[in-house]
Amino acid sequence: MLIIAPILIGIAYVCLNSLIREPNRRRFNAVMIAGAGAAYLSGDGFGPWELTFTAVVTYVAYRGLDSWTFIGIGWLLHTAWDALHHWKGTPILPFAEHSSLGCAICDPVIAIWCLFGGRSVREIVATAVKSRPTQKTTPAPSERGQVSGEPAS
């Protein structure tokens, strides 16, 4: 459950965001990554480096107002920060020992979605259905009016 739950949370995040129309969906996600970048400020994890990280993610979030790629990069940066906090033993939620690990598992799910354009689930499914290869069956030579062994005209 330590791995499955964060993945399901990431998928739920994507599904819920699908309810927001573009361009508001992208802007909302830029604000979300800015907030995630500041999530560790109240802890004593990495001291002044927390401010540096927040500044970097704030810049990435600002660029994300116009770019899904930057939002995806922001989630990957947050993934790395979560992993560092988990290894150091300073979780994002002090009362939940594995909260940073869970966040480090959840964030890449969101990042992948962002890096692929942050499309709604409906758009993703529609594209998948359209791009399904259709199976064309070639009629046997005898069905085409050819006799076995004769060259086609």
Side-chain angles (χ1 to χ4, degrees), residues 1-16 102 105-110:
M1 241 9 226
L2 191 63
I3 295 172
I4 303 290
I7 291 171
L8 292 176
I9 291 168
I11 291 170
Y13 179 89
V14 168
C15 291
L16 288 172
I105 295 168
C106 175
D107 291 353
V109 173
I110 301 168

